[in-house]
Amino acid sequence: MKSTSRLWKLIGGTALVCLIVLLTGFGWALRDVWYPTEGIVLPATSSQTPTPATGGDLYEKEQLRVTALGDSLTKGTGDARGKGYVTRVVEGLSKAMDKPVSLINNLAINGLTTEQLITKLEDSGFRNALLQADIILLTIGGNDLFQMAQTGGAMGEGGDLSPEIVEEQLPTVTPHLDTIFTKLREMNATARIIYVGLYNPFYDLEQMRPGSQSVAKWNDYAYQLAETDGNATVVPSYDLFEYNIKAYLASDHFHPNEEGYSRIAERVVQALN
């Protein structure tokens, strides 16, 4: 009986530790949504007017210039090494194409929403960096679809995290994505736009699996925008995480970890190469 009692205490203790880790991860994710931190907006590379990107195939260019923007996925949150997918894309593309590839700026901001990005695209620092880019890397939309209720209640307490809430966001935020694509193309008529599609970070929670349907609708809309644009590509990521969450998600249960970012970067390089 004593051994059985010890076993149940051990199981109970382990479950409590797992719950604390999960709630801590949600706390970090909430911090990014409620208290966005600015990315570093560097000034133009010289006092002269930035040189616009020219048209033509990426292979025809002697060197490539990359500008990244969006939310915490583009910033690399969750990667212990801080490289995220952006630095890995720059390094991988340079190797794959055997030419210099430079990052003009990473303009990502933790917690950024589609509406906030639309406003940011009016900033001169953003416009200068985008004007010079041959390649624009973009992640946005995750904070719109998976935003938490302002009460900060834990999952299951008031339904903060539910497929219904995710679905409700779609009619409001999908037009924002259209506006973002339009503004990017107005600023830079020739750059290749790479949009990394959304994934459901809570797919391992049974009650949140239907949320993947909303994610699929969002990604499908992004594909339509890319097809209409003619020089944009949507790189899928949902399949990486739905069945490999433990392998590819960081401890906050929201952002990719180092391996997750590496897999995303591989796909982006393949799409560009």
Side-chain angles (χ1 to χ4, degrees):
M1 294 293 293
K2 291 183 178 180
S3 61
T4 301
S5 177
R6 292 195 191 96
L7 177 60
W8 282 109
K9 288 180 179 179
L10 178 61
I11 294 173
T14 302
L16 179 60
V17 171
C18 292
L19 178 60
I20 292 173
V21 171
L22 180 60
L23 292 177
T24 300
F26 283 142
W28 280 100
L30 284 170
R31 186 191 68 168
D32 279 349
V33 174
W34 293 341
Y35 305 104
T37 54
E38 295 284 344
I40 300 175
V41 181
L42 299 177
T45 54
S46 71
S47 59
Q48 301 176 349
T49 302
T51 304
T54 57
D57 189 275
L58 296 179
Y59 273 98
E60 297 175 356
K61 299 177 182 290
E62 295 182 358
Q63 60 179 355
L64 297 175
R65 298 169 294 183
V66 178
T67 294
L69 73 161
D71 52 29
S72 52
L73 267 69
T74 291
K75 191 171 183 180
T77 301
D79 184 351
R81 297 178 62 187
K83 297 177 69 173
Y85 80 91
V86 173
T87 299
R88 289 181 170 89
V89 167
V90 171
E91 295 173 348
L93 198 59
S94 178
K95 183 177 180 180
M97 288 190 162
D98 192 26
K99 68 174 64 178
V101 180
S102 59
L103 178 63
I104 297 173
N105 209 336
N106 188 334
L107 304 167
I109 301 172
N110 281 350
L112 196 70
T113 64
T114 52
E115 188 172 15
Q116 291 168 340
L117 178 55
I118 290 171
T119 300
K120 285 293 182 183
L121 289 177
E122 299 300 323
D123 292 354
S124 60
F126 276 66
R127 300 179 72 88
N128 287 339
L130 291 164
L131 175 66
Q132 301 174 69
D134 301 299
I135 298 169
I136 297 173
L137 302 178
L138 171 65
T139 62
I140 198 69
N143 293 311
D144 295 89
L145 297 190
F146 293 107
Q147 62 184 330
M148 309 295 184
Q150 293 298 314
T151 58
M155 183 188 60
E157 299 178 5
D160 297 340
L161 206 57
S162 72
E164 291 77 20
I165 290 179
V166 176
E167 184 72 17
E168 288 172 3
Q169 304 304 313
L170 283 174
T172 301
V173 299
T174 48
H176 295 168
L177 187 62
D178 191 352
T179 301
I180 290 168
F181 268 74
T182 299
K183 282 184 172 292
L184 290 177
R185 191 51 74 204
E186 288 174 351
M187 281 184 271
N188 190 321
T190 61
R192 180 79 170 274
I193 299 173
I194 298 293
Y195 176 76
V196 178
L198 298 186
Y199 58 88
N200 180 1
F202 307 109
Y203 188 78
D204 57 334
L205 306 177
E206 186 174 353
Q207 66 269 37
M208 275 302 293
R209 289 190 176 182
S212 292
Q213 298 175 16
S214 300
V215 170
K217 292 178 183 177
W218 173 273
N219 289 335
D220 183 63
Y221 188 73
Y223 277 110
Q224 294 177 41
L225 293 176
E227 184 177 7
T228 300
D229 179 88
N231 193 26
T233 300
V234 176
V235 174
S237 67
Y238 70 93
D239 58 313
L240 291 176
F241 296 93
E242 288 199 352
Y243 296 102
N244 296 282
I245 282 183
K246 291 183 178 179
Y248 295 140
L249 273 191
S251 59
D252 65 5
H253 206 278
F254 193 80
H255 299 97
N257 57 19
E258 181 178 344
E259 185 61 27
Y261 280 119
S262 295
R263 293 300 305 276
I264 291 174
E266 289 173 3
R267 291 190 170 185
V268 173
V269 172
Q270 289 172 357
L272 288 166
N273 187 19

